[in-house]
Amino acid sequence: MTRTVELSTTVFCPSVSAEPSQAQFRLDNAGVVVEGDQLAEEAGLDEIFDIRLGQPPRAAVEALSGTVLTIGFERGGQRVALFIGGSESTLDRVSGLLFRQLLDGTEVAVCHPATIGGRVTDRRFEIGELRVTPGKVGCTGIRQPLNVDLETIVGVSRSKKELLGCRELAVDLQYVRQGVVVGVDLSLNPPRKLNLLGRYLRRSYGRLRQELRELAPPPPVVRTLTRLYTHGGAHRFQKRTVTGIS
């Protein structure tokens, strides 16, 4: 299915021009295209190595304000940064779609469950395909397909794991299942997509933490959250408690 997003906005590409300009931005299944009077650039999905959404980075702070979508891609052996301005809601939709297009279907080595309640299991890595859909991340092509709601994620980190006789970088994902924290290890091929996966997961995890801070939960909920995070899910909680904090 073709997924295309188009918007007219302010863009900035320091390697092309010292000033921002108005241009038409398009995202489709092939990649991103920017066309304007002063700028014409495009990047295929296989050339993009980084995506960030937030305040303007140092390289663009004088050119753009508010929320900025940064897309890093490779061109002729050089790294190029493209900064896109716009409303937070619009850029959030664009970045979410771009993340999914870059990650969905990627070959992945997955160990699940790698840990249960903080205890390491004897489960080995399996090779499957990464699935990234709105609100969920998982894997298919393995014995027990994995499907995790992003809202249940309570931890994302990186480490090196033993995989096929080599030490490989992996994303360590922790999520809550029936009141217990379960760990998943994910290693991607090509490895450069690991950074994108980590950023995508932290994006969702960061939102959940922000929502919890804004909720100002009562002391009993705070104590429950503290126990859950401190003990790595070693203690079981009643289903209604977990539902209340998800």
Side-chain angles (χ1 to χ4, degrees):
M1 182 177 73
T2 301
R3 295 168 290 183
T4 302
V5 175
E6 294 189 26
L7 64 145
S8 180
T9 186
T10 303
V11 299
F12 178 50
C13 187
S15 62
V16 176
S17 174
E19 299 294 333
S21 60
Q22 288 296 118
Q24 192 73 16
F25 172 85
R26 184 176 77 250
L27 166 64
D28 57 29
N29 286 351
V32 300
V33 177
V34 175
E35 295 178 331
D37 294 338
Q38 304 177 44
L39 179 64
E41 273 291 352
E42 61 180 275
L45 293 178
D46 59 345
E47 296 176 312
I48 297 173
F49 65 85
D50 197 15
I51 306 169
R52 299 189 186 201
L53 180 66
Q55 293 299 308
R58 184 178 302 176
V61 71
E62 295 184 3
L64 298 171
S65 60
T67 302
V68 172
L69 173 62
T70 303
I71 300 176
F73 61 95
E74 295 181 351
R75 174 62 46 76
Q78 300 294 320
R79 291 193 166 190
V80 180
L82 181 64
F83 305 103
I84 302 153
S87 69
E88 183 175 0
S89 60
T90 298
L91 295 180
D92 182 67
R93 183 167 67 96
V94 172
S95 65
L97 178 56
L98 184 53
F99 269 118
R100 291 193 295 273
Q101 290 187 194
L102 288 166
L103 293 169
D104 189 55
T106 301
E107 184 178 77
V108 59
V110 54
C111 179
H112 176 257
T115 59
I116 299 178
R119 296 183 179 181
V120 178
T121 69
D122 60 356
R123 191 63 62 92
R124 295 186 177 184
F125 278 94
E126 299 178 76
I127 304 299
E129 287 190 351
L130 185 68
R131 294 301 172 199
V132 181
T133 57
K136 294 180 181 293
V137 63
C139 300
T140 56
I142 55 179
R143 285 176 297 173
Q144 296 181 339
L146 175 66
N147 197 26
V148 177
D149 288 329
L150 296 180
E151 291 184 351
T152 65
I153 295 174
V154 294
V156 180
S157 60
R158 287 177 54 150
S159 65
K160 285 194 172 184
K161 303 293 182 181
E162 189 72 23
L163 178 59
L164 299 178
C166 300
R167 299 286 289 176
E168 301 286 350
L169 280 173
V171 167
D172 301 338
L173 166 65
Q174 294 181 313
Y175 71 100
V176 178
R177 184 179 66 187
Q178 297 179 345
V180 177
V181 174
V182 178
V184 186
D185 295 334
L186 301 163
S187 184
L188 302 188
N189 182 32
R192 66 180 180 82
K193 286 194 176 184
L194 199 67
N195 179 59
L196 289 171
L197 176 61
R199 196 178 299 283
Y200 177 72
L201 294 175
R202 290 189 186 94
R203 169 179 178 259
S204 303
Y205 175 43
R207 286 178 182 171
L208 177 60
R209 289 190 301 176
Q210 181 63 33
E211 289 173 2
L212 287 173
R213 285 194 292 266
E214 293 175 353
L215 281 175
V221 175
V222 172
R223 288 194 292 270
T224 299
L225 288 170
T226 300
R227 289 175 60 199
L228 180 61
Y229 278 77
T230 301
H231 296 287
H235 297 281
R236 293 184 177 272
F237 301 96
Q238 293 182 1
K239 186 174 182 180
R240 67 172 182 271
T241 303
V242 176
T243 303
I245 63 173
S246 62

